[in-house]
Amino acid sequence: MKQAAVRDAVLAWLSAHERDMLRLLEEVVNIDSQSSDKEGVDKVGAVFRAHLERAGIATEQFPLKNNGDCLLAKVPGSAGPDRPHVLLLGHMDTVFPSGTGAQRPYRAEGGIAYGPGVADMKAGLVMNTFVAQAFAEIGGNKTPIHVFYTGDEEIASPSSLELTLAMARGAATVLNAEPGRPSGNVVVARKGGIFIDFEVEGVAAHAGANHEKGASAIEALARKIIDLHALTNKATGVTTNVGTLRGGVTVNMVAPHATAQLDVRFPIEVDQDQLYRRIQNIIEEQVPARTSGRITKEGRFLPLFETDASRKLLADYTQAAREVGFSVTGEFTGGCADSGFTASVGAPTLCATGPVGGDVHTPKEYCRIDTLVPRAQAAALTILTRDKL
């Protein structure tokens, strides 16, 4: 089949399957899949795996102990398995705790879909799945298409990182289906990030009778929070935020223990190792006396950066978008994603190619239904354009 015929057939197939996309989107949005909920993430993966296998697409599951299993789907290319592949990437985990799906399940009204993770990024996963299915049924793609589903991206991909790097090595194209920006744009550059859990130890004492014998872990934590937040620097683009904290036992006890979680973002120009050392020094500083702090867990995202190859990919995607009726350009965001990892191994990467959405990580999260098919079509046309390389 000539490429023009393949193009027309793929576009028509995707347009004809909008209702099927929305049914699958509703099903997976209503499954709670917070990063820490391995069972929930695996349920989402099982839904996608069953759908893919019914469509005749080969899948492989990668069992992981602490987080949701990863899933890989492959659509062969006519040029053979040795040709560099296209990687369609996305994550199944969300930030929303168990029970959220029952409290505010998927709903669609006025052309907008709502629900936990509807934009970030279950709509993108649905889109990737149907792009793969379109080529599996119609054929015509010279380049093999690999679709990879991870389950821990929201917590910096501690279990899936090495798998993602392996999937990206040798890829000619990576399209990460994070939600399209509210403007409709895609993302060409992102900040890197460090997520840090830390704890502070103090000395317990009666808060009234023996106050002087205690050393408050909560006071120590408060001092550290002030110092950590002071690292935020608009000029350099560094931001720090302690997003959660817990501590103490009861109101009349000097707190012997406290914990917190720190989010750090930085652009590629910043020396992340030097920044990390400053953070570590603040956390481990023994102020007040007889208190101590230590890092208990951490995860890192690498920045996504532009290259000549990624700029060419953006040009190809931009042209594909024009062909299906929308305009798009690339923009920078302070958010982190797995696209930074894929770029780090030299794979030309474009991020936020998923359906357009906004208010992510909030109860107002939404996805524009009218962008589901066009964004799928743009991804498919980009794959066909990259076939010529």
Side-chain angles (χ1 to χ4, degrees):
M1 187 184 300
K2 293 183 178 180
Q3 192 177 58
V6 172
R7 173 192 181 281
D8 292 344
V10 168
L11 294 182
W13 189 96
L14 289 168
S15 182
H17 285 79
E18 181 180 46
R19 289 187 179 180
D20 295 329
M21 294 184 198
L22 291 173
R23 278 193 288 268
L24 181 59
L25 180 60
E26 179 175 6
E27 183 175 4
V28 294
V29 167
N30 286 337
I31 300 173
D32 291 320
S33 57
Q34 190 182 42
S35 307
S36 60
D37 181 4
K38 175 175 169 56
E39 182 180 358
V41 175
D42 286 345
K43 285 181 180 178
V44 174
V47 170
F48 280 114
R49 189 175 192 183
H51 181 96
L52 290 159
E53 292 183 347
R54 284 195 299 269
I57 298 174
T59 66
E60 181 179 359
Q61 190 168 358
F62 297 84
L64 296 172
K65 181 179 179 181
N66 296 320
N67 299 104
D69 297 343
C70 292
L71 178 66
L72 174 65
K74 290 185 176 183
V75 178
S78 61
D82 294 333
R83 185 182 178 95
H85 61 285
V86 168
L87 177 63
L88 303 181
L89 184 63
H91 64 86
M92 298 177 286
D93 60 318
T94 76
V95 300
F96 301 103
S98 297
T100 307
Q103 293 169 2
R104 47 182 187 87
Y106 175 94
R107 64 185 174 89
E109 56 184 46
I112 305 294
Y114 300 92
V118 66
D120 188 16
M121 57 175 295
K122 290 179 177 178
L125 295 175
V126 169
M127 186 196 81
N128 284 351
T129 300
F130 275 82
V131 169
Q133 189 177 347
F135 282 108
E137 294 195 15
I138 294 166
N141 57 297
K142 295 179 182 178
T143 302
I145 300 169
H146 297 179
V147 189
F148 194 53
Y149 307 73
T150 68
D152 58 351
E153 188 270 355
E154 294 290 2
I155 54 172
S157 306
S159 298
S160 66
L161 170 57
E162 292 303 323
L163 288 168
T164 297
L165 293 173
M167 299 300 160
R169 290 189 179 98
T173 303
V174 178
L175 300 177
N176 190 25
E178 291 281 355
R181 308 296 291 169
S183 62
N185 288 338
V186 292
V187 168
V188 294
R190 289 181 177 272
K191 287 185 179 181
I194 310 174
F195 296 168
I196 293 175
D197 292 5
F198 65 100
E199 65 181 11
V200 182
E201 297 293 339
V203 179
H206 191 288
N210 296 304
H211 186 276
E212 71 283 356
K213 292 184 177 181
S216 173
I218 289 178
E219 179 186 349
L221 176 58
R223 292 173 181 264
K224 294 180 192 301
I225 290 172
I226 291 171
D227 290 343
L228 290 168
H229 278 220
L231 296 176
T232 293
N233 186 325
K234 291 184 179 180
T236 63
V238 171
T239 61
T240 55
N241 179 66
V242 174
T244 71
L245 56 90
R246 296 178 181 176
V249 178
T250 185
V251 66
N252 58 352
M253 178 190 291
V254 176
H257 186 75
T259 63
Q261 293 178 303
L262 171 68
D263 176 300
V264 184
R265 307 294 171 110
F266 55 90
I268 194 169
E269 298 82 9
V270 169
D271 184 333
Q272 62 173 293
D273 292 328
Q274 183 182 68
L275 176 61
Y276 179 84
R277 287 193 293 272
R278 293 177 68 186
I279 292 166
Q280 187 177 34
N281 288 339
I282 292 170
I283 291 173
E284 294 180 353
E285 187 178 18
Q286 296 182 359
V287 177
R290 296 183 293 147
T291 65
S292 62
R294 70 183 185 94
I295 294 171
T296 57
K297 183 179 179 182
E298 65 180 78
R300 294 199 188 194
F301 278 112
L302 296 178
L304 172 64
F305 54 92
E306 288 189 88
T307 64
D308 289 343
S310 70
R311 283 186 279 269
K312 176 63 169 65
L313 174 56
L314 173 64
D316 291 339
Y317 183 90
T318 300
Q319 177 58 35
R322 278 197 294 265
E323 290 184 33
V324 297
F326 68 95
S327 298
V328 65
T329 188
E331 63 180 64
F332 170 84
T333 178
C336 303
D338 281 341
S339 49
F341 297 132
T342 62
S344 75
V345 296
T349 299
L350 192 60
C351 198
T353 58
V356 174
D359 289 333
V360 300
H361 295 195
T362 79
K364 296 179 180 180
E365 183 170 339
Y366 69 89
C367 176
R368 280 180 45 196
I369 291 171
D370 66 342
T371 65
L372 188 57
V373 168
R375 303 287 279 207
Q377 292 174 326
L381 290 187
T382 301
I383 290 170
L384 290 175
T385 300
R386 307 290 284 181
D387 266 349
K388 300 173 185 177
L389 298 180

